Protein backbone atom coordinates (compact mmCIF):
# COMPACT_ATOMS: atom_id res chain seq x y z
CA UNK A 1 0.00 0.00 0.00
CA UNK A 2 1.50 3.34 -1.03
CA UNK A 3 1.89 6.15 1.43
CA UNK A 4 0.23 9.49 0.80
CA UNK A 5 3.48 11.45 1.40
CA UNK A 6 4.03 13.74 -1.59
CA UNK A 7 7.68 14.54 -0.83
CA UNK A 8 8.82 10.96 -0.40
CA UNK A 9 12.17 10.34 -2.04
CA UNK A 10 13.17 13.99 -2.21
CA UNK A 11 15.47 15.97 0.02
CA UNK A 12 15.38 19.46 1.44
CA UNK A 13 16.54 21.93 -1.19
CA UNK A 14 15.83 19.59 -4.11
CA UNK A 15 13.89 20.89 -7.02
CA UNK A 16 14.10 23.46 -9.76
CA UNK A 17 15.37 26.19 -7.45
CA UNK A 18 18.54 27.66 -8.91
CA UNK A 19 20.89 30.53 -8.15
CA UNK A 20 18.16 33.00 -9.05
CA UNK A 21 16.26 32.06 -5.90
CA UNK A 22 19.20 31.12 -3.65
CA UNK A 23 21.52 33.93 -4.59
CA UNK A 24 25.00 33.74 -6.04
CA UNK A 25 27.67 31.47 -4.63
CA UNK A 26 30.58 33.05 -2.82
CA UNK A 27 33.77 33.28 -4.89
CA UNK A 28 36.00 30.27 -4.24
CA UNK A 29 39.69 29.37 -4.46
CA UNK A 30 40.90 25.81 -5.08
CA UNK A 31 44.29 25.17 -3.46
CA UNK A 32 46.34 21.99 -4.01
CA UNK A 33 47.91 20.18 -1.06
CA UNK A 34 50.30 17.17 -1.32
CA UNK A 35 51.12 14.57 1.34
CA UNK A 36 54.31 12.51 1.64
CA UNK A 37 52.62 9.62 -0.23
CA UNK A 38 52.11 11.87 -3.28
CA UNK A 39 48.34 12.21 -2.92
CA UNK A 40 46.91 15.52 -4.10
CA UNK A 41 43.96 17.09 -2.29
CA UNK A 42 42.23 20.14 -3.75
CA UNK A 43 39.78 21.65 -1.23
CA UNK A 44 37.97 24.86 -2.06
CA UNK A 45 38.06 27.89 0.22
CA UNK A 46 36.16 31.16 0.22
CA UNK A 47 38.27 33.79 -1.54
CA UNK A 48 38.52 35.89 1.62
CA UNK A 49 39.28 32.93 3.97
CA UNK A 50 42.67 32.36 5.56
CA UNK A 51 44.31 29.37 3.83
CA UNK A 52 45.93 26.89 6.29
CA UNK A 53 49.56 25.79 5.86
CA UNK A 54 48.68 22.10 6.16
CA UNK A 55 45.62 19.99 5.36
CA UNK A 56 44.88 16.37 6.33
CA UNK A 57 45.00 14.00 3.36
CA UNK A 58 41.61 12.25 3.05
CA UNK A 59 43.22 9.14 1.51
CA UNK A 60 45.97 8.33 4.03
CA UNK A 61 45.46 10.80 6.90
CA UNK A 62 48.99 12.24 6.71
CA UNK A 63 49.48 16.00 6.81
CA UNK A 64 49.65 17.62 3.37
CA UNK A 65 51.38 20.88 2.44
CA UNK A 66 51.20 23.34 -0.44
CA UNK A 67 54.71 22.53 -1.72
CA UNK A 68 54.63 19.44 -3.94
CA UNK A 69 58.40 18.90 -3.79
CA UNK A 70 58.70 18.98 0.02
CA UNK A 71 55.50 17.80 1.72
CA UNK A 72 55.36 17.63 5.54
CA UNK A 73 56.80 14.53 7.18
CA UNK A 74 54.30 11.91 8.35
CA UNK A 75 53.71 11.84 12.11
CA UNK A 76 55.93 9.48 14.05
CA UNK A 77 53.92 6.91 15.95
CA UNK A 78 55.38 5.29 19.02
CA UNK A 79 54.61 1.60 19.50
CA UNK A 80 52.57 0.58 22.52
CA UNK A 81 54.74 -0.03 25.58
CA UNK A 82 53.89 -2.30 28.45
CA UNK A 83 54.41 -1.36 32.08
CA UNK A 84 57.45 -3.64 32.16
CA UNK A 85 59.01 -1.76 29.22
CA UNK A 86 58.66 1.54 31.10
CA UNK A 87 60.20 -0.02 34.23
CA UNK A 88 63.14 -1.35 32.19
CA UNK A 89 63.75 2.16 30.84
CA UNK A 90 64.06 3.51 34.39
CA UNK A 91 65.99 0.67 36.04
CA UNK A 92 69.00 -1.42 35.06
CA UNK A 93 69.09 -5.20 35.50
CA UNK A 94 71.37 -4.76 38.53
CA UNK A 95 68.86 -2.40 40.15
CA UNK A 96 66.09 -4.89 39.49
CA UNK A 97 68.07 -7.75 41.06
CA UNK A 98 68.77 -5.64 44.16
CA UNK A 99 65.11 -4.67 44.57
CA UNK A 100 64.02 -8.30 44.08
CA UNK A 101 66.55 -9.56 46.63
CA UNK A 102 65.37 -6.95 49.16
CA UNK A 103 61.70 -7.89 48.62
CA UNK A 104 62.43 -11.62 48.98
CA UNK A 105 64.41 -11.00 52.16
CA UNK A 106 61.42 -9.08 53.59
CA UNK A 107 59.06 -11.91 52.74
CA UNK A 108 61.32 -14.49 54.35
CA UNK A 109 61.55 -12.38 57.48
CA UNK A 110 65.29 -11.85 57.21
CA UNK A 111 64.96 -8.08 57.52
Amino acid sequence: MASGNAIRGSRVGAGPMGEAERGESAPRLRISFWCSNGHETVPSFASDAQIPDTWDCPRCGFPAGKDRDSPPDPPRTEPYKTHLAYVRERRSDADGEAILAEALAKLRGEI
Side-chain angles (χ1 to χ4, degrees), residues 27-111:
R28 298 277 179 188
L29 294 174
R30 294 184 57 83
I31 307 292
S32 293
F33 291 89
W34 287 273
C35 71
S36 59
N37 287 335
H39 303 140
E40 181 183 12
T41 305
V42 188
S44 64
F45 298 95
S47 62
D48 58 347
Q50 183 178 357
I51 309 298
D53 293 330
T54 60
W55 191 262
D56 289 338
C57 178
R59 291 178 65 191
C60 63
F62 287 170
K66 297 180 210 172
D67 188 6
R68 183 181 201 160
D69 298 327
S70 61
D73 294 327
R76 186 174 166 204
T77 56
E78 294 287 330
Y80 174 76
K81 289 185 185 179
T82 63
H83 175 70
L84 181 59
Y86 283 110
V87 170
R88 285 185 175 162
E89 284 181 359
R90 292 192 314 265
R91 308 232 189 256
S92 68
D93 288 341
D95 291 340
E97 291 292 329
I99 292 171
L100 178 62
E102 183 182 332
L104 288 174
K106 246 186 212 179
L107 284 175
R108 293 181 182 137
E110 298 172 3
I111 296 181

